[in-house]
Amino acid sequence: MSSKLNAQKYDVIIAGSGLGGLVCAYVLSKNGYRVLVLEKNAQVGGCLQAFRRPGVKFDTGMHYIGSMDEGQILYRFFKYLGLLDSVKLKRLDTSGYDIISIAGKTYRYASGFDNFVESLSKDFPENRADIEEYIDRIKKIADASPLYKLQRINSNVFIEADYIKTSVNDFIASVTENPLLQSVLTGNLPLYAGVKDKTPTYIHALINNFYIQSAWRIVGGSDNIAKSLSQSIKEFGGKILTRAEVTEFVCNDEKVTKVLLKDGREFEAEHFISNIHPQVTMEKVKSKLIRKVYRERIGNIDNTISNFTVFIKFKKNKLKYLNYNFYYYDNPDIWSFVDYDESLFPQNFLYMHQCEDADSEYATSAQIIAYMRFDEVKKWEDTTIENRGADYEAFKQEKAEKLLDKLEKSFPGTREAIDKIYTSSPLTYRDYTATKEGSMYGVLRDKNFPMQTLVSQRTKIPNLLLTGQNINSHGILGVTIGAIITCAELLGIEKIVDDINENNQKAE
C-alpha cells in the first residue's frame, strides 16, 4: 500500500464500527491496507457497546457466546483476532446453559452434544432417537459450510441450498412428531427472532451447533471485544474516528470516490465498506450507479422484530448469580409470540444475569428482553434520545412493570432485590445501531425468497462493499465470517483462511 497518500485519503474507509466493521478493519490493516473507520456515535462497537450507570455496566447486544473451547471455531477466530488474552470469559453451567421454561415446566440445554442428548432425553425418554437425529443433522449442516470449518474454498458459498430453502419449523417437524419437543428444540428462538414458515433452517442449526459445543459469558462486558479490536487496528496503523457520521457515499461515473460527513468533513479512499444496514446504506448513495431495481429489492426486504429491554441493577449481595440464561414462554406455541397480542404482553422473555466478575457469588445486574414491534413506539419516531417526553417514559414504565411481574412468578424474591431499573425500546436500538426500526438482527431471511433476502457483500458499485449482520448471518460467529467474506473481495478467501489456520497452528 502506498504511504504517500494525502492525509485525508485512505486505501479503505469503513462506515460503522460494529463487529463487522471492526473485524474488516483488523484484517485489512493487518494486511497493510491504510484503513479509516468512521463511527457516528461516541462509542465504537455497535451491538458490542455497553453503557454505564452508577455502580454498574450493561451490555446492549452481545450477551453470550459459544464454541470457545480450544480448537473450536470461535476460539480459532479469537486467536487470529488477538482477543484471547484481552477478553475474559466465564463458562456457563454445563448442565444447563440455557433453561427453557414452557407453561411452567423447565428443560435444560446441556453443553456438549452427548450431554445435550442425555439431558433432554430425561424429559423425553421416548424421543431419545429424535434428539440424537436432531444433533446429527445440525452438525451435518455446520460441517457442510467450508467457512465454518475454516477450509480453503474457491467461492464464497457458505451453506448448501437445501438448508436455505427449508424453514426451521419444517426442519424440526421432520426430526420429531412430538409437539412439545418441537417447542423445546426451538426454545432459544429469540436468538434469531425466527418467523414460522420463513426463517431458514441454517440460521437455527448454525446457532445451536455453535452454543451446544460450549457456552460462555463475557466477563466485564462485550465492549471489551470492541476495545481490543480497536487497539489492534491502531497498532496496525489504522485510524478510528467517533462522532463521525457518514451522510453520503459520493460517486463519479464509475465508483465511490469519497464519503461526506454530517459535519462537512470529506474523506477519500480507493475502497469503501459499509457496516451500516443495507437499506440505510442505499439511502446514503445518491448515484445512478445503484439502479432502481436493486434499490427496490434491498428496500423491500423485511426486517426482524425489535425488542424492549429492562436493565436491572441489584442491591449489593441480595440475589445469587445465575450462571445460565432463562427463556420463558406462557405456552408451547412459541412461534406465535413474534406476532404477540399487545394486551397480553409479555408472553415470552429472555432473562440473563451479567457477569461482572468471573467469581461473583451474587448478581450485580441483569436484563429482561421481550419482543416489541416498532409500531408500539412509532408515534415517538421523530424524537431523539432522552427527549421523547413524559408519555413515552410512562409507556416504558408500564411495560417494565409487566415484565418484572412476570419474572417474579418464575423467580420469587427478585423484585425486592432490585435497586434500580433502566429501559430501552426499539427507538433506542434504532438510534444507537442505525438498524431499520430497531430491528434486532437486521434483514429477515425468508426461505420462500432466498435470493431476495440473502444480501451479498457486493453492491452494484465495484468499490463499495457491505459487511455486518446482514451479510452471511448475525451473531458473533455469523458477523465474523461475514467480515471475512467481505475482506476476501480484496485479499482472496484462501489467503485469509490460510492465515487463520497458520496462526492457530503456531499457537499449538
Side-chain angles (χ1 to χ4, degrees):
M1 298 302 112
S2 172
S3 60
K4 298 180 180 180
L5 292 171
N6 182 285
Q8 296 295 96
K9 187 170 183 178
Y10 296 83
D11 297 319
V12 184
I13 287 177
I14 300 172
S17 69
L19 178 64
L22 292 177
V23 171
C24 282
Y26 180 99
V27 173
L28 294 174
S29 60
K30 186 175 185 178
N31 281 276
Y33 284 77
R34 190 161 181 246
V35 175
L36 172 64
V37 180
L38 299 171
E39 168 56 49
K40 76 166 187 174
N41 292 314
Q43 183 183 165
V44 301
C47 291
L48 295 171
Q49 292 178 71
F51 69 92
R52 291 186 178 275
R53 292 295 181 267
V56 68
K57 182 168 76 170
F58 294 101
D59 288 331
T60 60
M62 190 69 66
H63 303 299
Y64 67 117
I65 62 177
S67 292
M68 274 298 295
D69 273 323
E70 187 170 356
Q72 292 176 351
I73 182 62
L74 191 62
Y75 178 96
R76 298 174 74 185
F77 279 121
F78 266 45
K79 179 72 179 71
Y80 171 71
L81 295 169
L83 293 171
L84 289 181
D85 294 333
S86 54
V87 178
K88 305 303 179 186
L89 303 174
K90 179 178 176 64
R91 188 188 298 272
L92 287 166
D93 190 342
T94 57
S95 69
Y97 63 91
D98 281 351
I99 306 296
I100 313 299
S101 174
I102 300 176
K105 182 169 174 52
T106 58
Y107 309 87
R108 305 176 75 87
Y109 284 9
S111 292
F113 296 117
D114 291 340
N115 290 339
F116 186 93
V117 171
E118 290 296 330
S119 179
L120 282 188
S121 293
K122 293 175 183 177
D123 295 303
F124 300 95
E126 296 180 357
N127 298 104
R128 183 186 182 93
D130 296 345
I131 301 167
E132 291 175 337
E133 173 72 8
Y134 170 78
I135 289 296
D136 287 344
R137 289 175 69 178
I138 66 168
K139 288 168 67 176
K140 179 182 177 182
I141 292 169
D143 288 346
S145 169
L147 283 179
Y148 278 75
K149 300 294 288 182
L150 280 176
Q151 297 169 343
R152 296 175 87 246
I153 57 175
N154 295 317
S155 72
N156 293 343
V157 175
F158 67 92
I159 207 71
E160 291 183 9
D162 288 348
Y163 307 133
I164 296 173
K165 296 178 180 178
T166 303
S167 69
V168 176
N169 51 290
D170 284 343
F171 167 73
I172 297 294
S174 74
V175 170
T176 181
E177 296 180 354
N178 184 326
L180 180 57
L181 179 56
Q182 290 175 10
S183 295
V184 171
L185 289 175
T186 48
N188 60 2
L189 200 61
L191 286 181
Y192 51 98
V195 176
K196 190 174 184 179
D197 297 328
K198 288 187 177 182
T199 302
T201 296
Y202 79 90
I203 297 283
H204 168 93
L206 294 178
I207 287 173
N208 275 18
N209 180 77
F210 177 64
Y211 282 112
I212 292 172
Q213 290 186 63
S214 62
W216 313 73
R217 284 209 176 112
I218 302 167
V219 177
S222 59
D223 60 333
N224 290 328
I225 295 174
K227 290 176 181 176
S228 178
L229 289 172
S230 297
Q231 181 62 35
S232 295
I233 291 163
K234 293 172 184 175
E235 291 173 358
F236 293 143
K239 187 173 183 179
I240 300 173
L241 297 180
T242 56
R243 302 187 190 278
E245 181 177 355
V246 172
T247 57
E248 185 177 353
F249 292 90
V250 181
C251 303
N252 61 18
D253 292 338
E254 298 178 348
K255 61 183 183 179
V256 182
T257 58
K258 62 185 178 182
V259 289
L260 178 63
L261 271 54
K262 188 175 183 179
D263 60 13
R265 285 179 291 173
E266 298 179 356
F267 296 95
E268 299 179 7
E270 293 298 320
H271 305 277
F272 298 82
I273 297 173
S274 178
N275 188 203
I276 306 168
H277 190 291
Q279 291 171 339
V280 179
T281 299
M282 288 303 103
E283 293 170 1
K284 297 177 185 293
V285 180
K286 315 298 184 186
S287 171
K288 293 181 181 179
L289 292 172
I290 300 293
R291 299 195 177 180
K292 182 179 178 182
V293 64
Y294 180 81
R295 287 186 186 276
E296 289 180 346
R297 183 177 79 79
I298 296 297
N300 289 333
I301 298 175
D302 289 333
N303 287 283
T304 53
I305 196 170
S306 188
N307 71 89
F308 181 83
T309 301
V310 179
F311 301 92
I312 302 172
K313 177 187 176 184
F314 292 115
K315 298 172 184 174
K316 189 174 182 180
N317 297 339
K318 287 293 184 180
L319 197 72
K320 294 285 187 177
Y321 169 77
L322 300 180
N323 198 33
Y324 59 82
N325 310 299
F326 184 79
Y327 292 82
Y328 172 89
Y329 301 92
D330 274 352
N331 61 67
D333 190 15
I334 65 174
W335 287 99
S336 68
F337 299 135
V338 76
D339 190 27
Y340 62 91
D341 182 338
E342 290 178 26
S343 67
L344 299 175
F345 178 91
Q347 290 182 279
N348 76 303
F349 62 81
L350 167 58
Y351 176 57
M352 298 171 289
H353 285 184
Q354 294 198 173
C355 186
E356 182 181 52
D357 188 298
D359 301 316
S360 295
E361 180 182 358
Y362 291 91
T364 57
S365 59
Q367 298 179 24
I368 322 172
I369 303 171
Y371 290 146
M372 181 172 281
R373 292 186 296 269
F374 188 78
D375 60 21
E376 286 210 58
V377 295
K378 188 173 177 61
K379 67 179 180 179
W380 300 289
E381 67 178 331
D382 294 327
T383 62
T384 56
I385 295 167
E386 298 183 355
N387 292 290
R388 306 199 197 277
D391 56 341
Y392 173 73
E393 295 301 325
F395 165 84
K396 292 199 298 174
Q397 186 64 34
E398 179 187 359
K399 295 292 185 180
E401 293 298 330
K402 289 181 177 180
L403 266 170
L404 291 171
D405 286 344
K406 189 64 69 79
L407 178 68
E408 183 73 13
K409 293 178 180 179
S410 295
F411 297 93
T414 300
R415 265 191 172 277
E416 66 182 26
I418 294 174
D419 181 15
K420 292 182 179 179
I421 66 167
Y422 310 92
T423 57
S424 70
S425 80
L427 291 171
T428 319
Y429 209 70
R430 178 201 67 178
D431 291 348
Y432 276 109
T433 63
T435 60
K436 279 289 187 178
E437 299 189 338
S439 165
M440 282 195 285
Y441 306 118
V443 301
L444 175 66
R445 277 78 175 183
D446 188 341
K447 64 95 178 179
N448 304 293
F449 305 100
M451 298 312 296
Q452 293 92 325
T453 59
L454 284 175
V455 180
S456 171
Q457 71 279 8
R458 299 169 184 164
T459 70
K460 299 302 180 180
I461 300 177
N463 69 335
L464 175 61
L465 301 170
L466 303 175
T467 196
Q469 65 178 355
N470 300 288
I471 309 306
N472 179 54
S473 184
H474 68 276
I476 191 168
L477 181 60
V479 171
T480 300
I481 289 177
I484 298 301
I485 292 172
T486 299
C487 291
E489 295 294 322
L490 301 180
L491 296 171
I493 193 69
E494 291 80 9
K495 157 73 174 164
I496 304 174
V497 170
D498 286 351
D499 284 351
I500 296 169
N501 287 330
E502 288 173 12
N503 182 273
N504 277 268
Q505 286 168 3
K506 288 176 184 177
E508 297 168 3

